[in-house]
Amino acid sequence: MDFSTIRNLITRYCTGEESWVDSRTIYIGHKEPPPGTEAYIPQRFPDNRIVSSKYTFWNFIPKNLFEQFRRIANFYFLIIFLVQLIIDTPTSPMTSGLPLFFVITVTAIKQGYEDWIRHKADNAVNQCPVHVTQHGKVVRKQSQKLRVGDIVQVKEDETFPCDLILLSTSREDGTCFVTTASLDGESSHKTYYAVQDTKAFNTAEEVDTLHATIECEQPQPDLYKFVGRINIYLDRDEPIARPLGSENLLLRGATLKNTEYIHAVAIYTGMETKMALNYQSKSQKRSAVEKSMNAYLIVYLCILISKALINTVLKYVWQANPNRDEPWYNQKTETERQRHVLIRAFTDFLAFMVLFNYIIPVSMYVTVEMQKFLGSYFILWDDDMFDEELGEGPLVNTSDLNEELGQVEYVFTDKTGTLTENNMELRECCVDGHVYVPHAICNGQILPGAAGMDMIDSSPGVDEKEREELFFRALCLCHTVQVKEEETVDGIKRGIYQGKSTSYISSSPDEVALVEGMKRLGFTYLRLKDSHMEILNRQDEMERFELLEVLNFDSVRRRMSVIVRSSSGEYYLFCKGADSSVFPRVVSGKVEQVRARVEHNAVEGLRTLCVAYKKLTHEEYEETCRLLNSAKLALRERDKKLAEAYDVIEKDFILLGATAVEDRLQDKAADTIESLHKAGMKVWVLTGDKMETAAATCYASKLFHRNTQILELTTKRTEEQSLHDVLFDLSRTVLRQHGSMTRDIFSGLSDDYQDYGLIIDGATLSAVLKPTQEGTSNGGNYKEIFLEICRNCSAVLCCRMAPLQKAQIVKLIKASKEHPITLAIGDGANDVSMILEAHVGIGIMGKEGRQAARNSDYAITKFKHLKKMLLVHGHYYYIRIAELVQYFFYKNVCFIFPQFLYQFFCGFSQQPLYDTAYLTLYNISFTSLPILLYSLMEQHINMDILKRDPSLYRDIAKNSFLRWPTFIYWTFLGVFDAVVFFFGAFFLFDNTTFTSNGQMFGNWTFGTLVFTVLVFTVTLKLALDTHYWTWINHFVIWGSLLFYVIFSLLWGGIVWPFLNYQRMYYVFMQMLSSGPAWLSIILLIIVSLLPDVVKKVLCRALWPTTTERIQNADKLYKGHLSEFTPLSSLHAPPARKHDRHGNESQNHTLHRSDSSPPKKLMCTYWGGRPDYCTFSSFLRIRENPRFSGAAYTYSAPGPETSV
């Protein structure tokens, strides 16, 4: 049963009409329509306040507390705190309450400050002045007081205060120019149009006389979609109805440009504006580390419950003897004797839970939050990722996923604007098989350097010349380009007739490239004035065409058309679009010659468009207008009706020719993709481009290599074979050589394995992902077969992809059985869906707008910055937080396990081992700052080395530092240290020990001794794990130990008046006055740290990892490893043959009987640092080298020079 239908019905009939009605009626200027025309039904709309804040002054405390206590750890400690308040527990409620209060307060302050910033931004927007037309006058009011139906006047360079329908402008043709940079990042000027019947109302007095109503759809978040109509009441009884679309809608946040002023009516205000509807919060993403933390938390919670249960049972076993149950010095009261044993047991169980609850590190969560928040600034401060051209650096929209950057296994990237520059340039155009090159031909003259090109005859025939000029006119007329005119002299635009200083702006870089290319070929588009398009032909004669209709481009049709009327009265329909959408609609023309050229250019990696036309009779034009107006006036399913109308109109074309536009590859895009491959990541390119163009880009960016065997899963192939057969053929191909084992990308370029690349198109992908109907013989296993093929391909190209399909691909890989970590990167609005779907979404601040950057987790300016973000920042973030999590659990095991052991020696009486102050401050003050600083500054490997050797990224893949064996090792290490602390102190002071004044040590001295060894051991353990030392590390580590000593001296050396009893008075000083105590502290610290140190020394000596080899070599070279040493010599002995550099040369083993004497390679500096990525991976250090900085054995194939 479809529950969504039931939900919609309930919503309709239970929540009132306004919430479900499909359209709204707006009365312009709040004027009632003339009597007898229609009923006046005023509707209630929200005011124009924007609210992006989360809290108010009144609800901040309850709402924030509710949200914080939804976290399991916080709620758990709240329960413990309440238990301590309710029952008699061995520790003070302050021991749980103070850390909890600290965590809650710090988080509340952070969230409150962030919300205060949002409140300030909201107030700045809501209180800005706007101009409203009332009773024929322009008055000022605050933006938040605007109402739906108000007529607003906006002046040049002002932003629109709400969503508006354009009524009139200062320009005669009723157009205005707008930039939408704050919405989608596009800085180009877009043209918007006033309704033809209202554009004459230019002044406030005239606008005030307008009687009209607007019917439009209810608010929805799509920025580029709007359906409505305006009913204008003139002297006649029946109103004039005109369609309204997105070309009439001015969005809040956009800015008016090159137009003196406009008048417009407010239709969506406040939180109903399209910009506000796009503020909807994204789904919360959780990193793999956070999931591991929660799993560990559950384990430690089970350990805690087990400890409390064991102690409760043993307590009652111990008290089975009446003398132990009620010793003479601690007799029970009558009430306690009468209490039921189960109630007493449950109370004792809760008391033990309270006593051992510190094994759950509540402060770890606030430390992790601070580490992520502060650590994100290292990306923001990275000068290498700053773009001088844009004047911008990277952005961090969320810091919750920092460590996920170090765990990426799949990278999904867009092509245009991400791998390429999105800087279009017309390379050539083909008319009837003749090729024109803008750089080689200008105004019909062949320029120098054009030799060898396929040019048109210097004296073409009459028919060919007409077709040629018609092609150029088509490209000068079929577009939405605007002219950015220069200065005005005597009312005439300078540059219009000169043609040289005219520059073009458009939301599509392709269109600008085509118009500029036509300008170089002799046809100059001048301007659009009074609905007439003016062009300058090769004879410097101006031609005027009346623009009648524009059939806008959309991603489904993949074409656009215009209908124009020439000065001679002829009607033309010009169309340009993708070859796949134009060729099927062509009935004549040199199709085969043009198709061959289109395919040739696509293989070269050029973006191709086909151009066609047809002449219309007056009757055909009238019928076309009727179809279009009928579709445009529809309020329901307007898009569908327009598509049907376009389908009828755009057919029976005569093919004119095709264009080829080049989109250059971004700087270092190929190097970045190669590095990602070496790091063990699989790179997929998801693009809407045609297969040939995308494949050429993939070869240029080294996604595919020349020895890559391309597997095609395309519509063309599935037309020849069934999808079932094609999939099984491909599956057999990739699995033939190495069975069902997933191939290792690292060896993908060697001779041992064939390198495969898969190409799939959108239509075939839909068939693969389509759910199989029950009862079919295929069994619906297409997804699994497809995934198996993809796993065994080094790279995958998905072309002709719709935005939703991009998200489906990412979701498919996320849901596969390996559950890999995915990253999606793109620069356009069509990439937002996959960016939101992936574990990590990265937006590029490019020319297609900022929607991708706004919806991403991180934003960068160039694709090449992805290399450092993952290989360096991601690596560091993961290493740091993995150590932080393991260390926190370790130090809390060390802290609380002695308390567990102590119960066996105090009759399970719930006597605490440590003083209340120590219990409270252990995680807050004594041990928190060193690990926080470590997690911010640790660099276990030099940054240059991480960039040079991407394969180091593999060492941290698959959450390797937070796997269960590592977790168990840290836990057992904590248990061992705790046993050493407790029993070491216990046996060293087995006999009664006296101080110099004859006083005996008591239980608090014993506990203080254990606690002192504990604090010093866990802090020194962190110091041993630290590789990157700065003065800040020294200050914090040794400073925290000094703080503990000073605090203990003050806590026990002063009589504090606010304490009812002071059991720690003089305890710490008394302990330090004993020589055996000093010896015990030093000895126990050494014994505790010794196993971990021995283990590390043995592992480094006998089974070193790649990371440890590089660390050792870096120490040997005294920090200059990155300047001279080839890193491959530091990798573990190779078990396989690799060509880590991706070259086509054959792989040679390192030790061959017929090998020639080793040659030497010298690294020479030429005024700068060497490019380490050019080192071959087969460089080897000699057995006993004299490190002169130039002598290395080189045994890789290829040309080299002996030195």
Side-chain angles (χ1 to χ4, degrees), residues 46-50 160-164 219-221 223 251-253 267-280:
D47 60 22
N48 199 39
R49 279 181 299 174
I50 284 290
F160 303 126
C162 59
D163 290 351
L164 306 164
Q220 50 101 358
L223 295 176
L251 298 177
R252 176 179 191 138
I267 59 163
Y268 303 133
T269 54
M271 297 308 291
E272 289 187 343
T273 59
K274 288 182 178 288
M275 186 174 78
L277 293 175
N278 277 277
Y279 283 156
Q280 303 301 327

Side-chain angles (χ1 to χ4, degrees), residues 116-134:
W116 177 68
I117 297 296
R118 287 192 286 266
H119 269 285
K120 286 183 65 177
D122 290 345
N123 291 335
V125 172
N126 293 331
Q127 295 175 9
C128 70
V130 296
H131 297 88
V132 179
T133 300
Q134 291 180 348

